[in-house]
């Protein structure tokens, strides 16, 4: 068996934590200072260099790497810049740690570029979904009689939708998936010995039960996302199930379906692919052991 | 183009480094900075949660003014104000624009302003509380609230490593540039130049990750030798570490005046409800 | 008296490796010794020292056998934390051992972790003992290398351990600061009765400060002798590429019938030993050939200033005007902070001169871009690891030509051969040994085919053998490019350079040949430099001009028998 996460010694955990914290913290210093680029209503900014935590959660114990990255973000990107958001940081901390942790668990074979790619996208997507849920929740909670204000719920959804898509493209693909695919094969087997840790092996890392729980979490996040959005839409008198013609005519509401359905399609594909992977791997494994 | 200029400026790492070091290591002898960090953190929790329990415009305005005055007293660095301003203005302008497109009316703006005020109060309160707080003090406060010692260690370690990591990253980027070749033509919107830098920024993390890994190993070994893992399980060590935190006259004064001001704001809010 | 450290037949293998690093090490160390641990690369010196404080076998859980007793207690039965009170360990990369923002914080870190109510007193005591209490409120990042090292030592001293282990105390320091560190360590040994153990390969320091020497070879302790006896095991030392102090080498080189049992190891010894010898005068060399060669770069009033934290401008380089000629071997010397690195960074384009400037070829230092200047100038960072930006040496070598879509394969092939990099081509630079890293980094610097090659502290933290190889490489380099080396290594200056530029507080205070520089005592004294031992000895003996190398020294001895012998 490869290195299981519970086989890490206390000091190895600390090393992964410090490594992840330093690197992602450093990256955050720069992204904090980078300018934002606005074309019309679309805002393009590099909100984080996701490839760093993605790479580390896949190469090392996902929990300590994910946790370290989140801590690094808070310390370097916020605290040392004097820009510590207090409670506001907590939500990002939980979302991001969880998302990266799951991304790390998804990968069981570091030689498979497909798996790396899926895990990277799913990781960033979970983070973005959670933050959308929280953002929508804030508006809900923060505005009195939300439904009384025409146009507002739709606007908020549109904004969140656009930001979801741009984040997926910029942070997820350009600064997540692509660099991770470049870095992981180069670092795999090379960086671990520097910390005195055995490289994660190509064979199955997590047991089937663990797999179920990972899938469960992903589905839960997705359902939460869908539930929140549909509840929110209910407040603006849009029936989730009925696709009204005049609804389509309205640019705003129609617009919002774009990212959501895109996300749903991607998500379903990912889950199916992931399940297939685990099955095929398990069957090869059982063949081997037979 | 302004974007490229700023981008280049950001990668004039000397500038960034200086700004950061000023922010992180500048002397902080402000009013809020001198108080016991635990008191400040509790103050922050209260002030940033209060707005979410009301839709009363007067109370919100009062809170915004109160926190702004405190932030002014703590002499926040221009870089932070700049970052905050960009954030808030960007967010606001964006929402206004979309609401306008969606055919919203004044009602929508009014309720949006309430929401924005709440968010602004939260961020100003956090600036007032944390901008002048020594990261060391913050980590002590967290430790005393029961946050794991690893986290509070990480805070001060980050504080210590910041200049080293930046130097190293800068040198690696320079190594790339010293042996690389910038595009001769910048291209439309200077995209070729931007692409060149972005690729370097990403590729530089390959050596950076390996170098940091090497560094980390010594650090963790030294942590062991210097008794850090021992201190994680030692109540005595925690007690000694926090022995310098004390609530004295200044803190009582601050607590009393905060209570009075917050009460006045709430009373005023109910008397002059808009 | 019972020895304070006793090892008996210790074997150790790191987890996941096949070879044993320790192969039956047996030794005993008495309290109050100042012990130098020497040995070739990969002999197991560092691993051996890590058994003294229990990191092995308690932290590194490899295959361990044998017994380690420290202060009468069995180390394998104690925790690493417990051992910290008895043994302090200062790493070679001590910078990573400092983990708190300010000096006092860091020094009080260990006692605080152990919950000592007197942690502040202990920290202050340690700072005072090392004479750095004035630094207590400084940020670590503002300290110089030497100060950081003292702070790291204070950090372990604060627990008041009986034994202090310091891995390569002076590798990164100029000789002046290096001596300071050793003087402080000597105080700890003599006045406070501490046992000091250093891993060291500068035999001059060993001769001046240590009481005993221990030679490690292939995971075993070959012998342990009092310092004089140890340093005179010439054959054993040379076989492992450890060179005795220059005065000893000089005595060895003499064809005179000298007393074989009374070789000198320090300058004082040397003075008595060689007293009364006559030396031949030396013809003035025709060292003014530089003027005839064409100038490749010119600097005109180059100034550089940087903003400080308090928003003031600090002048780092002040109106530097000079020119470099093809084929010159230039050494740039001066203490830390004199402006050497800043000058080199201005020449690469990494920093822009604030005023003035100059040209190399058609490129201006003031206006040229980093990428443009790099066609003419190549800079090799002090830390070779910063040169390795690709995943293999091969890719690093070809990075420059690839990014320019040139085909330099025959040139690269030649570099690979002359730097003997065939075997490491596919490896990542970071995984190589110190000497290999140095060679590879130089080849990478040369792969850009520069007119001016600059090296920052190339000999720092190299073992003697790698250092020797490096100097050989540098000897051949002047046919390829003009070489500018910033260095503290005065032996390198004496034996290699044809021209030396002395910098002090951002200004050039001397520009001439090494011989001239060592001749003018006020020049090097003012700049805080310390000449090599053989130069010092020649000066003390009244030899004019002073000999720059051991070979020169001995070849200039006139017939005669030194007084010290008779």
């Amino acid at each position: 068996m490869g290195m299981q996460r519970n086989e890490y010694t206390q000091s190895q955990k600390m090393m992964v934590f410090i490594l992840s914290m330093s690197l992602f913290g450093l990256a955050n210093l720069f992204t904090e200072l980078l300018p934002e680029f606005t074309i019309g209503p679309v805002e393009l900014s590099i909100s984080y260099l996701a490839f760093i935590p993605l790479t580390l959660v896949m190469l090392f114990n996902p929990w300590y790497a994910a946790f370290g990255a989140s801590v690094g973000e808070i310390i370097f990107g916020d605290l040392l810049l004097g820009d510590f958001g207090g409670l506001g940081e907590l939500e990002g901390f939980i979302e991001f740690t969880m998302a990266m942790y799951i991304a790390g668990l998804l990968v069981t074979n570091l030689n498979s570029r497909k798996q790396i790619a899926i895990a990277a996208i799913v990781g960033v997507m979970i983070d973005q979904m959670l933050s959308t849920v929280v953002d929508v929740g804030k508006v809900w909670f923060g505005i009195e009689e939300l439904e009384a204000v025409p146009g507002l719920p739709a606007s908020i959804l549109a904004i969140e939708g656009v930001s979801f898509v741009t984040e997926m493209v910029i942070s997820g693909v350009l600064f997540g998936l692509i660099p991770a695919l470049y870095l992981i094969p180069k670092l795999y087997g090379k960086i671990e010995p520097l910390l005195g840790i055995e490289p994660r092996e190509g064979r199955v890392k997590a047991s089937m039960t663990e797999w179920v729980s990972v899938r469960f979490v992903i589905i839960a996040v997705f359902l939460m996302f869908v539930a929140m959005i549909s509840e929110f839409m209910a407040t603006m008198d849009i029936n989730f199930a009925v696709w009204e013609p005049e609804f389509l005519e309205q640019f705003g509401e129609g617009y919002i379906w774009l990212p959501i359905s895109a996300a749903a399609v991607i998500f379903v594909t990912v889950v199916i692919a992931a399940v297939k992977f685990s099955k095929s791997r398990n069957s090869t494994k059982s063949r081997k052991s037979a | 183009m302004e974007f490229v200029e700023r981008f280049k400026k950001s990668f004039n790492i000397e500038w960034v480094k200086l700004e950061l070091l000023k922010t992180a290591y500048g002397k902080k002898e402000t009013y809020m900075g001198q108080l016991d960090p635990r008191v400040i953190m509790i103050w922050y929790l209260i002030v940033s949660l209060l707005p979410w329990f009301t839709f009363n415009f007067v109370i919100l305005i009062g809170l915004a003014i109160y926190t702004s005055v405190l932030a002014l007293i703590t002499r926040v660095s221009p870089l932070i104000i700049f970052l905050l301003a960009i954030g808030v203005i960007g967010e606001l302008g964006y929402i206004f624009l979309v609401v306008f497109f969606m055919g919203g009316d004044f009602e929508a703006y009014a309720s949006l302003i309430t929401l924005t005020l709440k968010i602004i109060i939260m961020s100003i309160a956090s600036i007032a509380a944390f901008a002048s707080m020594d990261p060391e003090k913050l980590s002590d406060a967290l430790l005393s609230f029961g946050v794991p010692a690893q986290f509070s260690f990480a805070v001060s370690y980050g504080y210590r490593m910041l200049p080293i990591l930046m130097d190293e990253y800068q040198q690696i980027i320079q190594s790339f540039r010293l042996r690389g070749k910038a595009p001769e033509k910048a291209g439309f919107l200077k995209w070729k130049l931007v692409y060149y830098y972005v690729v370097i920024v990403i590729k530089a993390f390959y050596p950076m990750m390996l170098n940091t890994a090497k560094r980390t190993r010594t650090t963790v070994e030294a942590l062991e030798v210097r008794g850090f893992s021992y201190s994680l399980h030692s109540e005595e060590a925690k007690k000694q570490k926090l022995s310098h935190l004390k609530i004295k006259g200044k803190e009582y004064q601050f607590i009393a005046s905060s209570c009075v001001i917050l009460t006045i704001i709430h009373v005023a809010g109910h008397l002059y409800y808009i | 008296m019972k020895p304070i450290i006793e090892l008996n037949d210790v074997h150790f293998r790191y987890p996941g490796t096949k070879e044993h690093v320790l192969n039956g090490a047996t030794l005993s160390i008495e309290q109050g010794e100042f012990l130098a641990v020497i040995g070739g690369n990969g002999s197991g010196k560092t691993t051996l020292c890590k058994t003294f404080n229990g990191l092995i076998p308690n932290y590194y859980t490899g295959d361990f056998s044998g017994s380690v007793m420290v202060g009468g207690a069995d180390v394998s039965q104690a925790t690493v934390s417990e051992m910290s009170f008895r043994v302090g360990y200062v790493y070679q990369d001590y910078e990573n051992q400092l983990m708190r923002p300010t000096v006092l914080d860091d020094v009080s870190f260990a006692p605080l972790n152990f919950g000592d109510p007197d942690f502040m007193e202990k920290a202050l005591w340690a700072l005072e003992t090392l004479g750095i209490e004035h630094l207590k409120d400084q940020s670590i990042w503002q300290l110089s290398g030497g100060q950081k090292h003292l702070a790291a030592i204070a950090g372990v001293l604060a627990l008041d351990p009986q034994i202090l282990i310091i891995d390569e105390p002076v590798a990164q320091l100029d000789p002046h600061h290096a001596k300071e560190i050793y003087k402080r360590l000597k105080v700890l040994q003599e006045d406070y009765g501490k046992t000091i153990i250093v891993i060291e390969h500068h035999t001059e320091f060993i001769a001046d400060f240590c009481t005993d020497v221990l030679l490690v070879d292939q995971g075993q302790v070959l012998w342990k002798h009092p310092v004089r006896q140890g340093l005179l095991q010439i054959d054993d030392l040379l076989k492992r590429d450890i060179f005795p102090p220059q005065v000893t080498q000089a005595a060895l080189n003499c064809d005179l019938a000298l007393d074989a049992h009374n070789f000198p190891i320090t300058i004082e010894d040397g003075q008595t030993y060689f007293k009364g010898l006559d030396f031949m005068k030396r013809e003035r060399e025709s060292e003014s050939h530089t003027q005839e060669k064409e100038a490749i770069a010119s600097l005109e009033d180059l100034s550089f200033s940087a903003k400080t934290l308090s928003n003031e401008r600090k002048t780092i380089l002040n109106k530097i005007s000079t020119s470099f000629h093809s084929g010159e071997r230039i050494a740039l010397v001066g203490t830390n902070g004199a402006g050497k690195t800043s000058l080199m960074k201005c020449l690469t384009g990494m920093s822009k001169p604030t005023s003035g400037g100059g040209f190399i070829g058609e490129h201006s230092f003031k206006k040229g871009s980093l990428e443009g200047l790099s066609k003419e100038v190549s800079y090799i960072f002090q830390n070779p690891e910063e040169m390795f930006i690709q995943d293999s040496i091969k890719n690093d070598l070809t990075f420059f030509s690839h990014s320019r879509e040139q085909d330099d394969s025959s040139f690269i092939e030649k570099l690979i051969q002359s730097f003997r990099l065939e075997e490491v081509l596919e490896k990542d630079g970071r995984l190589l040994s110190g000497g290999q890293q140095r060679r590879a980094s130089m080849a990478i610097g040369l792969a850009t085919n520069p007119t001016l090659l600059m090296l920052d502290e190339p000999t720092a933290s190299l073992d003697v053998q790698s250092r020797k190889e490096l100097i050989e490489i540098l000897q051949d380099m002047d046919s390829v490019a003009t070489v500018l080396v910033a260095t503290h290594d005065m032996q390198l200056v004496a034996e290699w350079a044809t021209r030396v530029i002395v910098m002090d507080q951002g200004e050039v205070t001397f520009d001439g040949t090494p011989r001239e520089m060592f001749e003018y005592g006020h020049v090097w004294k003012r700049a805080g430099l310390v000449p090599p031992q053989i130069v010092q000895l020649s000066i003390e003996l009244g030899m004019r001009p002073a000999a720059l190398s051991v070979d020169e020294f001995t070849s200039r001895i006139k017939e005669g028998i030194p007084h010290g012998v008779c």
Side-chain angles (χ1 to χ4, degrees):
Chain A
M1 279 302 288
M3 198 73 188
Q4 295 270 329
R5 67 198 158 99
N6 49 12
E7 284 175 28
Y8 272 45
T9 63
Q10 191 61 39
S11 53
Q12 284 169 337
K13 289 173 193 165
M14 195 71 190
M15 277 186 236
V16 172
F17 172 77
I18 291 183
L19 176 69
S20 181
M21 174 188 97
S22 309
L23 289 169
F24 194 53
L26 179 75
N28 255 280
L29 279 181
F30 290 97
T31 46
E32 281 285 313
L33 291 164
L34 277 182
E36 283 163 1
F37 192 33
T38 321
I39 313 173
V42 184
E43 185 190 358
L44 301 175
S45 65
I46 305 164
S47 50
Y48 49 81
L49 301 182
F51 70 89
I52 295 168
L54 284 172
T55 306
L56 296 172
V57 290
M58 294 186 210
L59 290 170
F60 297 105
N61 175 321
W63 172 250
Y64 292 94
F67 187 61
S70 295
V71 171
E73 173 175 8
I74 289 191
I75 291 172
F76 285 74
D78 305 318
L79 254 175
L80 293 186
L81 274 176
D83 191 22
F84 182 56
L87 288 176
E89 308 294 349
L90 208 59
E91 86 189 45
F93 184 88
I94 295 169
E95 288 158 18
F96 193 69
T97 310
M98 197 166 136
M100 289 300 125
Y101 177 56
I102 291 173
L105 284 184
L106 279 178
V107 174
T108 50
N109 174 9
L110 279 161
N111 292 319
S112 154
R113 295 174 74 84
K114 248 188 246 163
Q115 263 198 31
I116 293 174
I118 290 168
I121 288 292
V122 170
V124 177
M125 193 156 67
I126 291 176
D127 183 42
Q128 291 303 325
M129 281 182 176
L130 287 174
S131 84
T132 304
V133 167
V134 172
D135 282 353
V136 169
K138 268 191 215 160
V139 175
W140 207 335
F141 195 66
I143 295 183
E144 207 177 5
E145 295 166 30
L146 185 69
E147 59 271 33
V149 188
L152 187 61
S155 312
I156 302 289
L157 277 188
I159 291 168
E160 287 296 331
V162 171
S163 101
F164 183 85
V165 172
T166 53
E167 282 289 346
M168 281 313 293
V169 173
I170 297 180
S171 303
V173 178
L174 294 181
F175 291 92
L177 168 69
I178 297 174
L181 279 176
Y182 164 81
L183 281 172
I184 290 175
K186 277 180 188 278
L187 290 169
Y188 181 47
K190 199 186 267 180
I191 192 169
E192 300 91 338
L194 291 178
L195 297 180
I197 293 173
E198 262 179 67
R200 247 169 100 163
E201 275 186 33
R203 283 170 288 161
V204 185
K205 188 196 145 288
S207 65
M208 197 58 201
T209 49
E210 201 159 350
W211 247 97
V212 171
S213 72
V214 174
R215 254 172 26 215
F216 175 75
V217 173
I218 296 176
I219 290 169
V221 169
F222 182 70
L223 289 181
M224 200 154 85
F225 180 71
V226 173
M228 195 86 178
I229 302 285
S230 50
E231 261 303 290
F232 196 77
M233 296 184 105
T235 61
M236 35 187 222
D237 269 341
I238 299 165
N239 197 319
F240 198 59
V242 185
W243 196 273
E244 286 167 283
E246 61 271 350
F247 172 72
L248 273 177
E249 284 160 26
Q250 276 180 290
F251 162 74
E253 283 86 349
Y255 193 29
I256 191 65
W257 283 102
L258 225 75
I260 295 177
S261 35
V265 170
I266 297 172
F267 181 78
V268 171
T269 326
V270 164
V271 171
I272 291 172
V275 172
K276 261 176 118 181
F277 266 124
S278 83
K279 272 195 188 140
S280 67
R281 227 192 357 271
N282 275 310
S283 60
T284 37
K285 195 181 122 196
S286 52
R287 263 207 306 281
K288 265 181 198 163
S289 55
Chain B
M1 244 204 86
E2 200 212 349
F3 175 71
V4 178
E5 282 315 305
R6 268 210 63 196
F7 197 92
K8 271 175 118 173
K9 207 171 179 187
S10 299
F11 283 92
N12 176 352
I13 300 186
E14 285 301 325
W15 176 79
V16 176
K17 202 164 74 185
L18 201 68
E19 283 299 308
L20 283 174
L21 293 180
K22 261 196 244 168
T23 317
Y25 293 88
K27 284 267 170 271
K28 288 153 193 160
E29 278 162 13
T30 59
Y31 174 60
M32 300 278 275
Q34 286 171 348
L35 295 174
D36 186 303
R38 292 170 300 178
V39 174
I40 302 280
M41 285 190 77
I42 293 170
W43 173 87
Y44 164 73
L45 279 178
I46 294 171
V47 172
S48 57
L49 285 178
L50 271 182
W52 298 95
F53 295 104
T54 179
F55 294 100
N56 184 321
F57 203 63
V58 175
I59 293 180
L60 291 176
I61 294 270
L63 283 172
I65 294 173
Y66 171 53
T67 48
S68 304
V69 169
L70 273 179
L72 283 178
I73 291 174
T74 54
R75 281 179 289 155
V76 175
S77 122
L79 177 76
I80 295 165
I81 292 180
F82 176 73
L83 287 176
L84 179 84
I86 289 279
V88 172
I89 292 170
E91 194 84 3
L92 260 182
Y94 194 24
I95 296 181
F96 273 77
L97 200 75
V98 179
V99 171
F100 178 74
F101 268 111
M102 300 278 176
D105 55 8
F106 179 73
E107 278 287 295
Y109 292 115
S111 57
L112 261 183
I113 287 173
T114 337
L115 175 66
T116 316
L117 259 180
K118 289 176 185 180
I119 295 172
I120 285 184
I121 292 168
M122 251 185 119
S123 36
I124 297 181
S126 73
I127 286 188
F130 299 115
S132 64
M133 192 186 280
D134 191 331
E136 286 287 300
K137 276 185 141 187
L138 177 79
S139 78
D140 286 344
L142 290 173
L143 189 66
S144 76
F145 289 149
V147 173
Q150 277 95 336
F151 185 85
S152 70
F153 164 76
V155 174
S156 62
Y157 178 76
Y159 192 37
R160 144 95 184 101
M161 292 308 281
L162 172 75
I164 297 184
L165 290 173
M166 285 179 75
D167 268 337
E168 180 149 358
Y169 189 59
Q170 179 185 21
Q171 294 195 347
I172 290 171
I173 286 194
Q174 280 170 340
S175 254
F176 269 97
R177 293 189 58 201
L178 278 173
R179 276 142 62 193
K181 182 171 176 285
E184 272 153 26
K185 287 189 189 111
F188 177 64
L189 292 178
K190 296 206 178 176
W191 75 270
K192 280 187 182 164
L193 207 58
V194 172
Y195 178 76
Y196 173 70
Y197 284 123
V198 166
V199 169
I200 289 183
V201 164
I202 291 174
K203 285 191 172 173
F205 270 96
Y206 167 74
M208 190 70 202
M209 280 180 174
L210 291 168
N211 290 356
T212 314
K214 270 190 151 180
R215 187 188 289 290
T216 308
R217 192 171 186 171
T218 309
T219 300
V220 173
E221 204 177 302
L223 273 178
E224 190 71 28
V225 173
R226 301 185 69 190
F228 179 69
S229 46
Y230 177 89
S231 78
L232 293 179
H233 311 290
S234 158
E235 276 304 310
E236 189 56 31
K238 189 172 163 184
K239 212 178 97 194
Q240 290 301 333
K241 251 179 218 176
L242 301 175
S243 61
H244 67 99
L245 294 179
K246 278 188 191 86
I247 295 185
K248 286 175 293 193
K250 236 191 256 168
E251 280 78 15
Y252 288 121
Q253 240 173 34
F254 177 75
I255 295 171
S257 62
S258 304
C259 289
V260 171
I261 293 173
L262 289 177
T263 315
I264 292 176
I265 291 175
H266 274 85
V267 170
H270 291 294
L271 288 180
Y272 305 99
Y273 186 81
I274 306 180
Chain C
M1 213 170 97
K2 232 178 140 31
I4 191 160
I5 299 178
E6 230 177 343
L7 263 68
N8 197 1
D9 196 28
V10 173
H11 292 259
F12 181 72
R13 184 165 63 91
Y14 282 102
T17 57
K18 289 199 186 78
E19 308 259 316
H20 274 79
V21 186
L22 295 181
N23 264 319
T26 301
L27 62 86
S28 74
I29 299 170
E30 302 292 329
Q31 172 152 6
E33 279 182 21
F34 196 137
L35 176 73
V37 176
I38 57 176
N41 263 346
S43 56
K45 301 182 296 255
T46 301
T47 309
L48 181 73
C49 288
K50 283 184 179 171
T51 61
F52 300 167
N53 69 342
L55 274 174
I56 292 170
N58 297 325
Y59 180 83
Y60 289 105
T61 48
D63 273 3
F64 178 86
S65 67
S67 86
V68 181
M69 305 290 283
V70 173
D74 187 347
V75 167
S76 62
Q77 303 302 316
T79 64
V80 174
S81 304
E82 282 165 23
M83 290 309 297
S84 313
F85 287 97
R86 299 173 185 223
V87 185
Y89 195 100
V90 181
Y91 289 83
Q92 190 179 356
D93 49 345
Y94 54 88
E95 184 142 357
N96 298 321
Q97 184 173 0
L98 299 164
M99 36 206 133
R100 304 269 302 167
T102 68
V103 174
L104 188 58
D105 273 347
D106 192 78
V107 175
S108 60
F109 185 61
L112 192 52
N113 278 334
F114 290 111
D116 186 338
D118 299 329
F119 65 92
M120 208 40 95
E121 288 74 25
K122 296 243 165 109
L124 288 170
W125 170 80
L127 289 170
E128 233 167 80
T129 308
L130 291 170
I132 50 167
E133 66 270 38
H134 59 284
L135 298 176
K136 68 182 165 72
D137 295 320
Q138 296 250 2
S139 292
I140 296 278
W141 68 276
Q142 285 173 314
L143 303 183
S144 70
Q147 290 172 333
K148 275 184 201 158
H149 211 146
L150 283 171
I153 298 173
V156 299
L157 188 63
L159 288 176
D160 199 15
Q162 263 311 303
I163 304 160
L164 271 179
I165 305 169
I166 299 125
D167 195 344
E168 304 238 1
V170 299
Q172 325 255 350
L173 298 177
D174 60 78
H176 183 74
H177 288 103
K179 217 167 173 175
E180 275 305 301
I181 296 244
Y182 264 103
K183 280 184 185 160
R184 307 275 162 87
L185 292 177
K186 194 75 189 166
V187 169
L188 289 177
Q189 181 232 348
E190 285 183 339
D191 299 355
Y192 294 86
K194 305 277 179 212
T195 307
I196 310 280
I197 300 169
V198 293
I199 300 177
E200 183 59 88
H201 50 245
H202 293 96
T203 44
E204 273 103 0
F205 285 115
I206 297 177
D208 282 347
F209 294 98
C210 297
T211 60
D212 296 82
V213 194
L214 181 149
L215 179 66
V216 184
D217 192 46
Q218 297 177 0
Q220 286 180 328
V221 176
L222 216 62
W223 44 251
K224 176 169 171 274
H225 292 307
V227 68
R228 176 169 295 273
Q229 194 191 342
L231 287 180
L232 294 182
Q233 309 294 320
I234 309 289
D235 293 339
D236 278 349
L237 296 182
L238 287 180
K239 215 165 102 192
R240 286 157 193 95
D241 293 314
I242 300 165
F243 294 88
Q246 281 190 317
V247 284
T248 318
Q249 291 178 41
L252 277 169
N253 269 13
C254 280
D255 291 333
L256 305 167
L258 296 177
D259 181 354
H261 300 289
N262 199 21
F263 275 175
I265 60 170
T266 65
I267 296 185
E268 290 75 39
D269 293 351
Q271 265 171 269
T272 2
Y273 191 86
F274 293 106
K275 204 169 157 192
L277 278 185
D278 278 337
F279 296 98
M280 284 179 272
K281 282 257 160 27
R282 197 185 153 87
E283 308 278 306
R284 278 256 160 247
E285 295 143 300
S286 55
E287 277 169 347
S288 54
H289 60 282
T290 48
Q291 264 113 43
E292 296 144 31
K293 298 227 171 149
E294 58 165 332
I296 54 140
S298 62
L299 280 64
E300 293 137 25
D301 286 336
L302 189 146
S303 298
F304 176 69
S305 62
K307 266 194 178 174
T308 61
L309 274 187
S310 46
N311 248 341
E312 289 153 14
R313 285 213 154 261
K314 191 183 166 213
T315 305
I316 293 170
L317 298 173
N318 192 10
K319 295 197 172 167
I320 298 200
S321 297
T322 185
S323 54
F324 303 138
H325 307 88
S326 63
E328 273 184 321
R329 302 171 177 181
I330 310 164
L332 192 59
V333 299
T335 45
N336 292 330
K340 303 185 300 276
T341 302
S342 299
L343 178 62
M344 297 210 282
K345 289 199 166 172
C346 278
L347 299 183
T348 57
M350 286 191 271
S351 306
K352 289 278 168 235
T354 356
S355 71
F359 289 90
I360 181 159
E362 55 180 13
H363 301 278
S364 152
F365 296 125
K366 175 99 180 156
K367 296 199 183 85
S369 73
L370 201 61
E371 284 85 352
L373 276 166
S374 67
K375 285 180 202 155
E376 303 282 348
V377 187
S378 185
Y379 175 73
I380 296 170
F381 286 92
Q382 177 170 1
N383 177 3
E385 298 195 352
E386 268 139 26
M387 299 298 289
F388 306 134
I389 52 179
Q390 296 288 305
D391 57 353
S392 70
I393 295 297
K394 190 176 179 187
N395 289 345
D396 264 322
L397 284 169
T398 52
F399 186 82
F400 180 83
S401 49
H402 275 182
S403 62
R404 280 166 179 70
E405 288 166 9
Q406 295 164 351
D407 179 32
D408 279 349
S409 46
S410 61
F411 175 61
I412 302 284
E413 206 47 53
K414 242 170 68 188
L415 279 179
I416 293 171
Q417 276 171 16
S418 48
F419 285 86
R420 294 186 286 113
L421 295 172
E422 295 90 344
E423 282 171 21
V424 297
L425 268 188
E426 300 301 331
K427 286 196 184 161
D428 189 289
R430 266 158 286 269
L431 308 178
L432 307 180
S433 73
Q436 286 172 330
Q437 281 193 346
R438 214 24 103 174
R439 286 208 308 270
S441 72
M442 291 186 64
I444 293 166
L446 274 179
T448 66
N449 205 353
T451 355
L452 177 64
L453 177 72
M454 297 192 287
L455 297 100
D456 202 349
E457 293 296 346
T459 54
S461 59
L462 278 191
D463 65 286
V464 181
Q465 177 59 20
S466 315
R467 189 176 165 283
K468 206 174 146 204
E469 279 178 16
L470 179 100
I471 294 179
E472 276 163 19
I473 290 171
L474 281 173
Q475 304 281 18
D476 301 334
M477 203 79 98
D478 47 3
S479 57
V480 187
T482 304
V483 184
L484 178 71
V485 170
T487 186
H488 294 311
D489 184 341
M490 288 301 132
Q491 218 168 311
L492 174 71
V493 174
E495 289 170 18
W496 166 81
T498 58
R499 176 180 169 191
V500 52
I501 297 176
V502 181
M503 289 187 72
D504 192 19
Q505 295 176 18
E507 295 186 25
V508 173
T509 55
F510 174 87
D511 186 350
T513 63
R515 200 175 291 283
E516 283 165 357
M517 182 190 72
F518 291 125
E519 202 66 358
Y520 303 136
H522 61 278
V523 171
W524 52 260
K525 276 182 194 144
R526 214 184 88 188
L529 306 171
V530 181
Q533 210 182 24
I534 199 73
V535 175
Q536 290 183 51
L537 179 68
S538 319
I539 294 172
E540 295 294 336
L541 292 171
M543 189 174 180
R544 300 298 293 267
L548 295 185
S549 66
V550 173
D551 287 344
E552 186 192 331
F553 180 88
T554 45
S555 69
R556 278 168 62 191
I557 297 179
K558 275 188 189 164
E559 293 291 315
I561 296 165
H563 282 283
V565 180
C566 307

